[in-house]
Amino acid sequence: MTYPQTFVQDIIEAHCVPAQVNNTLDANKPTVERFRHVWTPDVRVLDGSGFELYHWNGYLPPAEFAARLLTGLGYSRFRLRQFDEAANLYADVLRRFPTAFAAPEAQYFIGVTAYRKTGEANALLHGWHELEKAYPQSEWAVKQNFD
């Protein structure tokens, strides 16, 4: 069980205002239709106006869920141009969950976030070099390759 785990709850409480929508109730049909919900769990990170910043579908065990949520929160902060907060969330993924499926994505966006913050290509290249070292077979290593 994922949600009862203390470390998962700690992340949610620190960074989210959680809401659960029962997709079988008629009263929730507008929300289900708005987000074109088709499968559960359906996890979304929204901004204060309800704009979707990140989402994924499907069950994940606790450590994978926590890593994916932190990565999604980092990406959400990145999209909001809150670069320091994004970098901290990505670093937390790599520190606590370095073997998680989301870890290569976090490493990829550490470089992208550093570049967007500073405009320095070396910041991007450093992050991507670390990606190639740590996760050479990942989809994210392929995405950073310009060959």
Side-chain angles (χ1 to χ4, degrees):
M1 303 259 300
T2 298
Y3 297 112
Q5 298 297 315
T6 302
F7 70 97
V8 171
Q9 290 179 7
D10 290 346
I11 293 168
I12 292 170
E13 289 173 9
H15 300 285
C16 304
V17 177
Q20 184 175 9
V21 176
N22 183 333
N23 64 358
T24 65
L25 298 178
D26 286 340
N28 294 333
K29 191 173 183 176
T31 301
V32 170
E33 289 177 357
R34 174 181 174 209
F35 291 107
R36 292 175 171 67
H37 167 77
V38 295
W39 194 247
T40 60
D42 181 329
V43 180
R44 296 171 189 260
V45 178
L46 311 175
D47 70 8
S49 70
F51 181 82
E52 181 179 299
L53 298 167
Y54 192 89
H55 87 274
W56 78 90
N57 293 96
Y59 169 80
L60 291 172
E64 293 292 344
F65 179 91
R68 174 65 55 206
L69 180 57
L70 288 167
T71 300
L73 291 165
Y75 187 73
S76 298
R77 296 296 187 261
F78 171 74
R79 289 185 70 186
L80 296 169
R81 302 176 122 33
Q82 298 170 357
F83 301 126
D84 291 334
E85 293 90 342
N88 289 336
L89 288 160
Y90 294 137
D92 196 21
V93 172
L94 297 174
R95 182 179 53 79
R96 294 169 60 188
F97 309 103
T99 61
F101 294 126
E105 181 179 352
Q107 182 61 62
Y108 177 92
F109 278 107
I110 280 178
V112 172
T113 300
Y115 173 72
R116 293 298 299 203
K117 178 182 176 183
T118 66
E120 294 292 325
N122 285 337
L124 176 65
L125 296 176
H126 175 73
W128 284 1
H129 176 72
E130 294 299 315
L131 173 66
E132 286 180 335
K133 283 189 343 187
Y135 309 102
Q137 301 301 316
S138 71
E139 170 188 2
W140 293 94
V142 173
K143 288 182 176 188
Q144 62 84 37
N145 191 339
F146 291 105
D147 295 337

